[in-house]
Amino acid sequence: MMRVYAIDGITPVVDPTAYVHPTAVLIGDVIIGPGCYVGPNACLRGDFGRLELKRGANLQDTCVMHGFPGTDTTVEEDGHIGHGAVLHGCVIGKNALVGMNSVIMDGAVVGESSIVAAMSFVKAKMEVPDRTLVAGSPARIIKELTDKEIDWKSAGTRQYQDLTLRSMNTMQEVEPLTEVEADRPRLDVGVEGAIPKYKS
């Protein structure tokens, strides 16, 4: 059972088609939309402002969402938030990707189909244009993204949408085995979304 807490009479909302890992924490004004994935140890603290993941978005393990009083922190449809990222009072546009361990600050807007590189710091009120790669601390515009790069991002998000279904259908708490089986199977999840083998 996921860890869900009401505060001041406001209870989180989780669409029945979303998957929220049991170790994730949802507090207050949190809205998880259809087909979303929320990973282990993610923390969504809707105790000051509203937090929303829209259809097909994912928020991976150890991510944090929060915001100042009266603000919304939103991940739009098909948004993809990598491991350990922090979102605070910002908007992540449709089909955008926030790389691992990045921080997106208050009032920032990451445009549709844009990518924030891993370990980037997006300053408060920065506006990242659509279809743009930003990187660094503070983040700066690197280049416009190609269709091939956006397709790669979208493929990775589809894998997380599939993970939502896999998790809902097969994940269960178990005791570990004490040794490796002789014919131990491997996960068969395809190669779509793997590290690209082209030069950008």
Side-chain angles (χ1 to χ4, degrees), residues 106-170:
D106 302 274
V109 177
V110 175
E112 182 174 341
S113 297
S114 289
I115 295 176
V116 176
M119 299 183 69
S120 295
F121 178 78
V122 176
K123 295 191 298 187
K125 299 184 179 177
M126 181 177 183
E127 293 191 14
V128 176
D130 295 351
R131 299 178 57 97
T132 300
L133 171 65
V134 298
S137 182
R140 60 184 180 83
I141 294 173
I142 303 299
K143 66 173 199 161
E144 185 175 343
L145 292 168
T146 65
D147 289 342
K148 192 170 188 179
E149 289 164 328
I150 293 170
D151 289 346
W152 168 80
K153 180 271 160 199
S154 297
T157 300
R158 285 192 295 273
Q159 284 195 320
Y160 268 87
Q161 291 164 345
D162 182 57
L163 180 60
T164 297
L165 300 174
R166 290 171 52 216
S167 298
M168 291 177 77
N169 293 329
T170 70

Side-chain angles (χ1 to χ4, degrees), residues 88-102:
H88 203 277
C90 57
V91 175
I92 309 303
K94 181 177 179 180
N95 199 46
L97 181 150
V98 174
M100 295 180 273
N101 288 317
S102 292

